[in-house]
Amino acid sequence: MATYDLIERLNSTFREIEHELQTLTERLQTCRLLAARVFTLPEVVKGAEHDPLDTIDVKQHIGKAALELAMKHYRHLFIQQQSEQRSSKAAVRLPGVICLQTDAVAREALESQIAHINSLKAAFEKIVTEESGLAPAARFEWVHRQLPGLITLNAYRTLTVLRHPATLRFGWANKHIIKNFTRDEILAQLEKSLKTPRTVAPWSREQWIERLEQEYHSIASLPADTRLKIKRPVKVQPIARVWYSGQQKQVQYACPTPLIALYDADQGAIVPDIGELLNYDAENVQHRYRPQAQPLQLIIPRLHLYVAG
């Protein structure tokens, strides 16, 4: 159970994150703005958190307007900072980049502060998800009793700082969460569900138990060495592909939050080549490279559980 000391650390760590984000955004705004481009995405309204996203309309913002949106986004931690229609369960995403010119001393100070903020965010997440010792549902209640209206994902989400990128291109990534299991591990999970059954709409408690028992027998009938795999799709994510001309390499970054690109003043006012983020259309996704899929046989649809061939 969460102790008084843990509650104290939860609050003090969060207050430090808030303070550091405030001072960081103030410092970033004193730097010379070379370029900025961010992309607002449609609000996810309450009740639509799990709806499939087949299309996403993107609106572009550049220059000072983009910088201002980025500063607000970094400090967006509470539902009170957004419209009442927007879901508090869906992450607020603002892909893009702000490019700032600094001297070497200021750049090092900014990089150090961003690293400190990211370490605070990691510590805060660890307090909530590990040290509290609470189940996910109880965690939510505990955190929101201390910090009403907190959007935990925004509090956890780290900042990405880049040094001298030459080119930035934005796109969309369709990904899956993939985990491998043995037969006995899945049987143990189903057994646990059978011991503490709950009512899951649209089934009655008895129908749900019957369903779980059918799933258990389906898995139990497999050979003991069967390889099982959960392959669950996650919603499409904005990404950035960044080219560093000095190292002659490209790096791909997740981009739910504007990247912070810093350029040293003594190297001149280099303005990077920044691309657009186009509207997402699931019907017209072009895969740059798709490895040959491993043959999988779906065995429990609700778990996205497959038998690996």
Side-chain angles (χ1 to χ4, degrees):
M1 188 62 195
T3 62
Y4 178 80
D5 173 64
L6 200 64
I7 291 170
E8 181 62 31
R9 283 201 294 120
L10 176 87
N11 283 293
S12 63
T13 304
F14 181 75
R15 297 303 170 206
E16 192 175 353
I17 290 170
E18 271 193 312
H19 172 73
E20 290 291 335
L21 285 172
Q22 181 65 41
T23 59
L24 174 68
T25 52
E26 288 169 2
R27 291 171 74 181
L28 291 173
Q29 286 173 298
T30 66
C31 300
R32 181 185 177 195
L33 179 63
L34 296 175
R37 180 176 278 188
V38 302
F39 309 93
T40 50
L41 311 180
E43 285 191 359
V44 177
V45 297
K46 291 176 180 176
E49 299 89 358
H50 302 296
D51 291 357
L53 289 172
D54 296 324
T55 61
I56 301 173
D57 293 325
V58 175
K59 186 177 179 184
Q60 177 179 257
H61 308 265
I62 60 172
K64 288 186 177 178
L67 179 67
E68 187 61 35
L69 284 169
M71 297 303 107
K72 285 181 180 175
H73 183 78
Y74 297 144
R75 300 191 304 262
H76 185 168
L77 299 169
F78 290 95
I79 59 172
Q80 294 88 331
Q81 294 169 272
Q82 61 191 34
S83 76
E84 290 185 10
Q85 287 74 38
R86 184 190 280 271
S87 169
S88 60
K89 297 176 184 177
V92 180
R93 300 181 294 181
L94 184 72
V97 64
I98 58 170
C99 302
L100 305 167
Q101 190 177 46
T102 66
D103 59 42
V105 173
R107 172 179 49 74
E108 287 175 11
L110 285 168
E111 289 173 338
S112 175
Q113 186 175 17
I114 290 167
H116 179 53
I117 288 169
N118 288 341
S119 68
L120 288 169
K121 284 171 168 279
F124 183 80
E125 183 175 6
K126 187 178 180 184
I127 290 169
V128 174
T129 60
E130 295 180 31
E131 294 182 52
S132 70
L134 299 169
R139 268 184 232 151
F140 179 88
E141 189 180 328
W142 177 64
V143 171
H144 287 80
R145 200 180 306 132
Q146 309 306 319
L147 300 164
L150 179 71
I151 305 169
T152 50
L153 183 59
N154 289 21
Y156 299 162
R157 188 183 277 154
T158 56
L159 305 177
T160 302
V161 61
L162 316 176
R163 193 185 296 186
H164 291 272
T167 304
L168 298 105
R169 294 283 179 266
F170 298 96
W172 298 97
N174 288 279
K175 295 184 178 180
H176 288 81
I177 292 173
I178 298 174
K179 291 184 180 178
N180 295 307
F181 294 90
T182 64
R183 187 197 68 168
D184 289 349
E185 285 171 338
I186 296 296
L187 287 175
Q189 285 186 23
L190 292 170
E191 201 170 323
K192 189 176 177 182
S193 297
L194 279 164
K195 284 179 181 173
T196 55
R198 54 188 178 29
T199 303
V200 177
W203 296 280
S204 67
R205 189 170 181 273
E206 290 72 23
Q207 288 171 327
W208 184 246
I209 291 171
E210 186 181 341
R211 185 183 173 93
L212 287 171
E213 286 174 342
Q214 287 172 355
E215 291 175 352
Y216 186 93
H217 291 308
S218 295
I219 301 299
S221 66
L222 297 171
D225 61 352
T226 300
R227 292 185 302 120
L228 296 163
K229 188 184 293 281
I230 284 179
K231 186 181 179 185
R232 181 166 57 83
V234 294
K235 286 188 177 178
V236 63
Q237 304 290 324
I239 56 161
R241 297 185 184 92
V242 179
W243 174 255
Y244 296 93
S245 55
Q247 296 112 300
Q248 289 290 294
K249 71 172 183 178
Q250 179 177 278
V251 181
Q252 181 171 300
Y253 298 91
C255 195
T257 290
L259 306 170
I260 301 168
L262 302 178
Y263 296 81
D264 286 354
D266 61 8
Q267 296 194 21
I270 303 163
V271 180
D273 178 10
I274 305 173
E276 288 186 54
L277 178 64
L278 301 177
N279 292 344
Y280 173 73
D281 182 357
E283 293 295 313
N284 293 301
V285 173
Q286 293 184 349
H287 297 277
R288 290 155 64 94
Y289 168 69
R290 176 180 272 179
Q292 191 167 1
Q294 181 186 24
L296 298 172
Q297 177 193 344
L298 186 62
I299 189 165
I300 302 182
R302 73 175 180 89
L303 296 177
H304 303 279
L305 183 71
Y306 296 82
V307 175

PDB file of all heavy atoms in Angstrom, residues 54-70:
ATOM      1  N   ASP A  54      -9.050   5.633 -39.116  1.00  0.00           N
ATOM      2  CA  ASP A  54      -8.800   5.346 -40.532  1.00  0.00           C
ATOM      3  C   ASP A  54      -8.262   6.567 -41.264  1.00  0.00           C
ATOM      4  O   ASP A  54      -7.567   6.442 -42.259  1.00  0.00           O
ATOM      5  CB  ASP A  54     -10.090   4.855 -41.201  1.00  0.00           C
ATOM      6  CG  ASP A  54     -10.557   3.526 -40.610  1.00  0.00           C
ATOM      7  OD1 ASP A  54      -9.676   2.700 -40.280  1.00  0.00           O
ATOM      8  OD2 ASP A  54     -11.767   3.336 -40.454  1.00  0.00           O
ATOM      9  N   THR A  55      -8.633   7.742 -40.773  1.00  0.00           N
ATOM     10  CA  THR A  55      -8.111   8.988 -41.358  1.00  0.00           C
ATOM     11  C   THR A  55      -7.801   9.972 -40.240  1.00  0.00           C
ATOM     12  O   THR A  55      -8.476   9.978 -39.201  1.00  0.00           O
ATOM     13  CB  THR A  55      -9.135   9.639 -42.319  1.00  0.00           C
ATOM     14  OG1 THR A  55     -10.326   9.954 -41.584  1.00  0.00           O
ATOM     15  CG2 THR A  55      -9.466   8.733 -43.493  1.00  0.00           C
ATOM     16  N   ILE A  56      -6.765  10.773 -40.434  1.00  0.00           N
ATOM     17  CA  ILE A  56      -6.411  11.840 -39.490  1.00  0.00           C
ATOM     18  C   ILE A  56      -6.100  13.085 -40.309  1.00  0.00           C
ATOM     19  O   ILE A  56      -5.179  13.079 -41.141  1.00  0.00           O
ATOM     20  CB  ILE A  56      -5.187  11.465 -38.622  1.00  0.00           C
ATOM     21  CG1 ILE A  56      -5.451  10.181 -37.827  1.00  0.00           C
ATOM     22  CG2 ILE A  56      -4.829  12.615 -37.678  1.00  0.00           C
ATOM     23  CD1 ILE A  56      -4.231   9.652 -37.076  1.00  0.00           C
ATOM     24  N   ASP A  57      -6.864  14.145 -40.089  1.00  0.00           N
ATOM     25  CA  ASP A  57      -6.627  15.408 -40.792  1.00  0.00           C
ATOM     26  C   ASP A  57      -5.648  16.256 -39.986  1.00  0.00           C
ATOM     27  O   ASP A  57      -5.851  16.494 -38.792  1.00  0.00           O
ATOM     28  CB  ASP A  57      -7.942  16.172 -40.987  1.00  0.00           C
ATOM     29  CG  ASP A  57      -8.883  15.445 -41.933  1.00  0.00           C
ATOM     30  OD1 ASP A  57      -8.383  14.815 -42.888  1.00  0.00           O
ATOM     31  OD2 ASP A  57     -10.107  15.488 -41.709  1.00  0.00           O
ATOM     32  N   VAL A  58      -4.609  16.702 -40.651  1.00  0.00           N
ATOM     33  CA  VAL A  58      -3.516  17.429 -40.009  1.00  0.00           C
ATOM     34  C   VAL A  58      -3.612  18.916 -40.353  1.00  0.00           C
ATOM     35  O   VAL A  58      -3.892  19.273 -41.497  1.00  0.00           O
ATOM     36  CB  VAL A  58      -2.160  16.870 -40.502  1.00  0.00           C
ATOM     37  CG1 VAL A  58      -1.002  17.686 -39.953  1.00  0.00           C
ATOM     38  CG2 VAL A  58      -2.019  15.412 -40.117  1.00  0.00           C
ATOM     39  N   LYS A  59      -3.386  19.769 -39.354  1.00  0.00           N
ATOM     40  CA  LYS A  59      -3.328  21.212 -39.600  1.00  0.00           C
ATOM     41  C   LYS A  59      -1.930  21.707 -39.248  1.00  0.00           C
ATOM     42  O   LYS A  59      -1.432  21.442 -38.153  1.00  0.00           O
ATOM     43  CB  LYS A  59      -4.377  21.938 -38.765  1.00  0.00           C
ATOM     44  CG  LYS A  59      -4.472  23.428 -39.073  1.00  0.00           C
ATOM     45  CD  LYS A  59      -5.577  24.091 -38.267  1.00  0.00           C
ATOM     46  CE  LYS A  59      -5.633  25.585 -38.561  1.00  0.00           C
ATOM     47  NZ  LYS A  59      -6.649  26.271 -37.712  1.00  0.00           N
ATOM     48  N   GLN A  60      -1.304  22.418 -40.176  1.00  0.00           N
ATOM     49  CA  GLN A  60       0.090  22.852 -40.000  1.00  0.00           C
ATOM     50  C   GLN A  60       0.173  24.258 -39.411  1.00  0.00           C
ATOM     51  O   GLN A  60      -0.629  25.129 -39.727  1.00  0.00           O
ATOM     52  CB  GLN A  60       0.788  22.828 -41.361  1.00  0.00           C
ATOM     53  CG  GLN A  60       2.225  23.328 -41.310  1.00  0.00           C
ATOM     54  CD  GLN A  60       2.887  23.264 -42.669  1.00  0.00           C
ATOM     55  OE1 GLN A  60       3.670  22.381 -42.913  1.00  0.00           O
ATOM     56  NE2 GLN A  60       2.566  24.195 -43.556  1.00  0.00           N
ATOM     57  N   HIS A  61       1.179  24.454 -38.545  1.00  0.00           N
ATOM     58  CA  HIS A  61       1.465  25.775 -37.967  1.00  0.00           C
ATOM     59  C   HIS A  61       2.966  26.005 -38.092  1.00  0.00           C
ATOM     60  O   HIS A  61       3.764  25.085 -37.861  1.00  0.00           O
ATOM     61  CB  HIS A  61       1.052  25.825 -36.499  1.00  0.00           C
ATOM     62  CG  HIS A  61      -0.365  25.382 -36.257  1.00  0.00           C
ATOM     63  ND1 HIS A  61      -1.425  26.249 -36.174  1.00  0.00           N
ATOM     64  CD2 HIS A  61      -0.889  24.131 -36.111  1.00  0.00           C
ATOM     65  CE1 HIS A  61      -2.540  25.556 -35.977  1.00  0.00           C
ATOM     66  NE2 HIS A  61      -2.239  24.275 -35.924  1.00  0.00           N
ATOM     67  N   ILE A  62       3.363  27.217 -38.434  1.00  0.00           N
ATOM     68  CA  ILE A  62       4.789  27.506 -38.611  1.00  0.00           C
ATOM     69  C   ILE A  62       5.198  28.753 -37.827  1.00  0.00           C
ATOM     70  O   ILE A  62       4.354  29.541 -37.389  1.00  0.00           O
ATOM     71  CB  ILE A  62       5.146  27.672 -40.107  1.00  0.00           C
ATOM     72  CG1 ILE A  62       4.343  28.818 -40.735  1.00  0.00           C
ATOM     73  CG2 ILE A  62       4.933  26.389 -40.874  1.00  0.00           C
ATOM     74  CD1 ILE A  62       4.781  29.170 -42.155  1.00  0.00           C
ATOM     75  N   GLY A  63       6.520  28.928 -37.678  1.00  0.00           N
ATOM     76  CA  GLY A  63       7.066  30.140 -37.072  1.00  0.00           C
ATOM     77  C   GLY A  63       6.683  30.323 -35.620  1.00  0.00           C
ATOM     78  O   GLY A  63       6.604  29.369 -34.843  1.00  0.00           O
ATOM     79  N   LYS A  64       6.415  31.579 -35.250  1.00  0.00           N
ATOM     80  CA  LYS A  64       6.138  31.910 -33.848  1.00  0.00           C
ATOM     81  C   LYS A  64       4.874  31.235 -33.335  1.00  0.00           C
ATOM     82  O   LYS A  64       4.799  30.868 -32.162  1.00  0.00           O
ATOM     83  CB  LYS A  64       6.034  33.434 -33.688  1.00  0.00           C
ATOM     84  CG  LYS A  64       7.387  34.139 -33.808  1.00  0.00           C
ATOM     85  CD  LYS A  64       7.277  35.618 -33.506  1.00  0.00           C
ATOM     86  CE  LYS A  64       8.650  36.283 -33.561  1.00  0.00           C
ATOM     87  NZ  LYS A  64       8.570  37.744 -33.320  1.00  0.00           N
ATOM     88  N   ALA A  65       3.878  31.066 -34.217  1.00  0.00           N
ATOM     89  CA  ALA A  65       2.647  30.384 -33.795  1.00  0.00           C
ATOM     90  C   ALA A  65       2.947  28.939 -33.412  1.00  0.00           C
ATOM     91  O   ALA A  65       2.415  28.407 -32.431  1.00  0.00           O
ATOM     92  CB  ALA A  65       1.606  30.431 -34.920  1.00  0.00           C
ATOM     93  N   ALA A  66       3.818  28.287 -34.181  1.00  0.00           N
ATOM     94  CA  ALA A  66       4.212  26.906 -33.886  1.00  0.00           C
ATOM     95  C   ALA A  66       4.997  26.837 -32.580  1.00  0.00           C
ATOM     96  O   ALA A  66       4.802  25.926 -31.766  1.00  0.00           O
ATOM     97  CB  ALA A  66       5.057  26.344 -35.030  1.00  0.00           C
ATOM     98  N   LEU A  67       5.889  27.802 -32.361  1.00  0.00           N
ATOM     99  CA  LEU A  67       6.683  27.841 -31.121  1.00  0.00           C
ATOM    100  C   LEU A  67       5.760  27.976 -29.914  1.00  0.00           C
ATOM    101  O   LEU A  67       5.929  27.274 -28.907  1.00  0.00           O
ATOM    102  CB  LEU A  67       7.670  29.003 -31.170  1.00  0.00           C
ATOM    103  CG  LEU A  67       8.549  29.182 -29.926  1.00  0.00           C
ATOM    104  CD1 LEU A  67       9.526  28.024 -29.773  1.00  0.00           C
ATOM    105  CD2 LEU A  67       9.303  30.508 -29.972  1.00  0.00           C
ATOM    106  N   GLU A  68       4.772  28.847 -30.009  1.00  0.00           N
ATOM    107  CA  GLU A  68       3.843  29.064 -28.908  1.00  0.00           C
ATOM    108  C   GLU A  68       3.043  27.791 -28.600  1.00  0.00           C
ATOM    109  O   GLU A  68       2.864  27.425 -27.434  1.00  0.00           O
ATOM    110  CB  GLU A  68       2.886  30.210 -29.260  1.00  0.00           C
ATOM    111  CG  GLU A  68       1.982  30.651 -28.122  1.00  0.00           C
ATOM    112  CD  GLU A  68       2.735  31.168 -26.897  1.00  0.00           C
ATOM    113  OE1 GLU A  68       3.803  31.800 -27.059  1.00  0.00           O
ATOM    114  OE2 GLU A  68       2.258  30.918 -25.780  1.00  0.00           O
ATOM    115  N   LEU A  69       2.595  27.098 -29.630  1.00  0.00           N
ATOM    116  CA  LEU A  69       1.870  25.835 -29.434  1.00  0.00           C
ATOM    117  C   LEU A  69       2.764  24.793 -28.758  1.00  0.00           C
ATOM    118  O   LEU A  69       2.314  24.038 -27.884  1.00  0.00           O
ATOM    119  CB  LEU A  69       1.365  25.297 -30.773  1.00  0.00           C
ATOM    120  CG  LEU A  69       0.139  26.000 -31.376  1.00  0.00           C
ATOM    121  CD1 LEU A  69      -0.068  25.547 -32.814  1.00  0.00           C
ATOM    122  CD2 LEU A  69      -1.114  25.720 -30.539  1.00  0.00           C
ATOM    123  N   ALA A  70       4.041  24.752 -29.171  1.00  0.00           N
ATOM    124  CA  ALA A  70       4.981  23.794 -28.571  1.00  0.00           C
ATOM    125  C   ALA A  70       5.179  24.080 -27.090  1.00  0.00           C
ATOM    126  O   ALA A  70       5.177  23.159 -26.256  1.00  0.00           O
ATOM    127  CB  ALA A  70       6.310  23.848 -29.309  1.00  0.00           C
TER     128      ALA A  70
END
